[in-house]
Amino acid sequence: MGNRELKNRDGIEKKIVAKFGGSNLKKKKDILKLVRVIKAYDRPMVIVVSAFYGITNRLIKSLEAVKKDEGEINSLTDFLLSMKEEVIKEHFTDREIATETLALIEQRVAELKRYLTGIHYIGEVPEFVEDVILSYGERLSSLLLAAILKNNGIDAEEALPEDMPLTTDGEFGNATVDFKRSETLVKKRLAGDKVYVVPGFYGVSAEGKVTLLGRGGSDYSAAALARCLEAASLDVWKDVDGFMSADPKLVDRPVLIKSLTYTEAAELSYFGAGILHPRTVEPLKETAIPIRILNIDTFENKISFGTKVHGSETITDGIIKSVTYSDDFCVLKLRGAGVGVKRGVLAKVSGALDHAGINIKSVITSQIAINLLLSAKDIKRAFRVIERLGLSAITEIEAIEQLSTIATVGEGLLEHPGVAGRIFSALARENINIRMIVSGASSVATYFIVAASDRDTAISAIHREFF
Ligand code: ASP
Ligand code: MG
């Protein structure tokens, strides 16, 4: 690696943080490949792992079921144990490590069982217990992977966030890392010359309570550790090459995007690109730590990346680097003559939604309507919350579903007025009706809303226009 000689502020060789997700931990061959990847790095590093494929969802289901059904405790723990036993059988040549690992797994599953039993008896799930329980998917991955690496002759060790500690702001379910508190301590815990394996998805509050970092949050964990360590890079391993100019399922000949700025990657992720969790960029955007996307499926023996996300911008000829979409945007339209000029309407509406735990993705207002962009899962509840507010300024509420939000992303987009024209002409040629447009809110993204049924045509029309 060209970066080996680089040192951090403490004069220690910079580490690489590599993240492996659930899709890299599905089958025996995936794990074997992962071991080969770590051998190819051939350096001390930090690995962040997600739960095995599907496990977090299974834990969420069991959490509900366990309240009423005591039998679910054993069905879950038996399932986890037999799954892990299977992996141990498949991977361990060293009997001693195998027996030792199985004992540790049993211990960890027994801890989980105690939490589940507690929930069954009290009949509800306190927030702080929910976060602990859901972290067990990752905890089983890290334990197992560290042992597999050891079995393969790699000097590996599991390192838990609570033992660093990786401290958060304490918000259950969706915490943010507190870098001031974490940086020095994390660096100290992970200073050794080995391969550390860290479970993603959680940190701990200042009081030591487990707090999850949001669904899909292992990418964010890995980014946070990379920042604490002043890493040489954050390497996110996927089963695709990287960010593409559009979803390969929807367009002909999409191209791989080699280089993106932090902001471009953040916008693409927010609008559904699905390569990185939208929060991954957050800890890194003020640093010079690049994020590299690497494909494990095509890995042979060299570490090589598809997309690199970093600070320096490249403006391509067509300006637009990628067109992406999300089906998770719905519109709640609040009509009323003069909502645009009446004071306090938006404050009351957003206050009530916040109180109900509903996130507003975006707001587009006019003189006669406030359009709230919300997640599909929240739209019905948001409707009722606002109805109950009974504001006289709002005379009609309409929930509009079956929409898609399409985003075009590229540095320089605002400074090149011709770009918007090309987008809209491409759509007009296909007779696509644009329901709403937002441009200028982000310096690198223009997005617009169309009927869900127009989504695929719209994306291929724009892609054809620019690529
Ligand atoms: N296992 C967690 C989830 O499914 C975190 C992650 O995969 O990044 O949300
Ligand atoms: Mg994930």
Side-chain angles (χ1 to χ4, degrees), residues 259-277:
S259 166
L260 283 172
T261 60
Y262 293 116
T263 320
E264 287 173 325
E267 294 288 6
L268 283 174
S269 304
Y270 185 66
F271 289 108
I275 301 290
L276 290 178
H277 186 278

Side-chain angles (χ1 to χ4, degrees), residues 322-373:
S322 181
V323 41
T324 185
Y325 70 91
S326 168
D327 293 335
D328 190 33
F329 280 68
C330 292
V331 174
L332 197 63
K333 204 178 200 45
L334 315 178
R335 288 200 185 80
V339 286
V341 288
K342 281 187 189 128
R343 190 160 51 88
V345 180
L346 202 49
K348 285 186 191 113
V349 164
S350 62
L353 292 177
D354 180 36
H355 190 70
I358 295 171
N359 176 43
I360 303 173
K361 292 179 179 242
S362 194
V363 188
I364 306 170
T365 62
S366 77
Q367 161 76 342
I368 54 156
I370 297 173
N371 297 282
L372 302 171
L373 271 50

Side-chain angles (χ1 to χ4, degrees), residues 238-245 256-257 273 275 293-295 306-307:
K238 308 285 298 181
D239 43 16
V240 293
D241 287 337
F243 285 89
M244 305 294 288
S245 56
L256 173 69
I257 316 168
I275 301 290
I293 313 294
L294 306 94
N295 189 347
T307 301

